């Protein structure tokens, strides 16, 4: 029996709440009395794709256990009523891991290269550092309306921006949005109306 497991997630080896996980298998003959469980939950329906090819499926929800590889079992008989051995492993080492937990941020730091830590002038660099609760497949980081590339060391991330004369004077805003390996998004983190804030002054002093 050829057996694979996969999901309809962007990464077929991961699943989040609302994703569908499929267990696909091919018998050496037409099968009957098929009973499938995925992640400990009954897969009461399956597709008969013809040619002794079948797909059981389960839509992941809040009742499923998060953070582990999904197990499965396939019980079946042939058309003559003969029971085959239970199948619970794949033939190609495929797997699906379920994650329903949003990523979170911690240890957030927003600093400036200026000698006054809450200020920045033209050519000063502002740095945004934070830790993620888990690996992420997408990181959206904005500083002063510019999208910033992030550098990562394990779960520690940082980005920076050099302030320019075209930037507007005032608070330098940032936003952070994380997407974990399964596609769960964090809450968007910003410093609008909150601390820490750094104030940019790009106006040259003059004597009048």
């Amino acid at each position: 029996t050829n057996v694979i497991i996969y999901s309809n997630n962007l990464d077929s080896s991961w699943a989040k709440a609302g994703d569908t996980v499929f267990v696909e298998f091919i018998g050496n003959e037409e099968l009957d009395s098929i009973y499938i469980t995925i992640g400990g939950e009954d897969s009461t329906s399956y597709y008969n794709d013809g040619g002794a090819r079948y797909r059981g499926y389960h839509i992941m929800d809040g009742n499923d256990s998060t953070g582990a590889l999904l197990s499965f079992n396939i019980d079946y008989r042939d058309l003559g009523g003969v029971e085959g051995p239970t199948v619970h492993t794949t033939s190609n080492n495929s797997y699906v891991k379920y994650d329903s937990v949003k990523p979170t941020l911690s240890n957030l730091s927003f600093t400036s290269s200026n000698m006054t830590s809450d200020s920045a002038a033209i050519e000063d660099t502002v740095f945004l550092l934070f830790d993620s609760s888990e690996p992420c497949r997408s990181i959206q980081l904005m500083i002063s309306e510019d999208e910033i590339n992030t550098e990562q060391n394990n779960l520690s991330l940082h980005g920076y921006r050099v302030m320019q004369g075209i930037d507007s004077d005032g608070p330098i805003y940032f936003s952070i949005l994380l997407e974990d390996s399964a596609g769960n998004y964090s809450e968007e983190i910003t410093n609008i109306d909150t601390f820490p804030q750094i104030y940019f002054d790009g106006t040259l002093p003059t004597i009048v």
Side-chain angles (χ1 to χ4, degrees):
T1 305
N2 296 309
V3 183
I4 61 175
I5 186 171
Y6 59 94
S7 81
N8 66 346
N9 192 286
L10 181 64
D11 182 339
S12 62
S13 66
W14 285 89
K16 65 182 185 302
D19 286 345
T20 302
V21 175
F22 297 90
V23 174
E24 183 175 314
F25 52 99
I26 305 172
N28 63 346
E29 58 178 307
E30 294 290 328
L31 303 177
D32 194 13
S33 301
I34 297 172
Y35 180 74
I36 306 166
T37 62
I38 300 175
E41 299 290 332
D42 294 344
S43 176
T44 56
S45 301
Y46 62 89
Y47 297 110
N48 184 340
D49 294 325
R53 183 187 296 269
Y54 306 89
R55 285 179 294 150
Y57 63 92
H58 174 61
I59 300 174
M60 307 304 296
D61 58 36
N63 296 322
D64 296 302
S65 298
T66 190
L69 298 181
L70 293 175
S71 62
F72 67 88
N73 285 289
I74 309 170
D75 293 303
Y76 56 95
R77 297 177 185 268
D78 67 13
L79 298 181
V82 178
E83 185 175 357
T86 297
V87 176
H88 53 80
T89 59
T90 63
S91 54
N92 67 343
N93 295 319
S94 57
Y95 63 88
V96 174
K97 188 173 183 179
Y98 176 58
D99 179 6
S100 63
V101 178
K102 295 179 179 181
T104 58
L105 281 70
S106 61
N107 300 322
L108 178 65
S109 172
F110 191 40
T111 61
S112 168
S113 62
N114 193 285
M115 66 176 61
T116 304
S117 60
D118 63 353
S119 299
I122 296 173
E123 298 300 328
D124 282 344
T125 303
V126 292
F127 301 90
L128 186 59
L129 299 87
F130 57 94
D131 293 338
S132 171
S133 59
E134 57 181 306
C136 293
R137 70 184 183 193
S138 173
I139 302 164
Q140 299 177 33
L141 174 59
M142 303 285 292
I143 300 178
S144 193
E145 300 183 351
D146 281 351
E147 187 170 354
I148 305 298
N149 292 325
T150 56
E151 299 182 23
Q152 188 166 357
N153 180 13
N154 295 321
L155 296 180
S156 296
L157 303 100
H158 70 274
Y160 63 90
R161 185 181 187 278
V162 178
M163 303 305 296
Q164 305 293 328
I166 60 174
D167 293 318
S168 299
D169 288 0
I172 303 171
Y173 295 123
F174 66 77
S175 66
I176 307 168
L177 185 65
L178 305 181
E179 181 187 13
D180 68 16
S181 300
N184 299 298
Y185 283 94
S186 68
E187 301 295 332
E188 185 177 22
I189 303 299
T190 75
N191 65 336
I192 298 176
D193 298 325
T194 64
F195 292 97
Q197 286 190 351
I198 297 173
Y199 292 86
F200 175 66
D201 182 358
T203 302
L204 298 177
T206 61
I207 297 175
V208 293

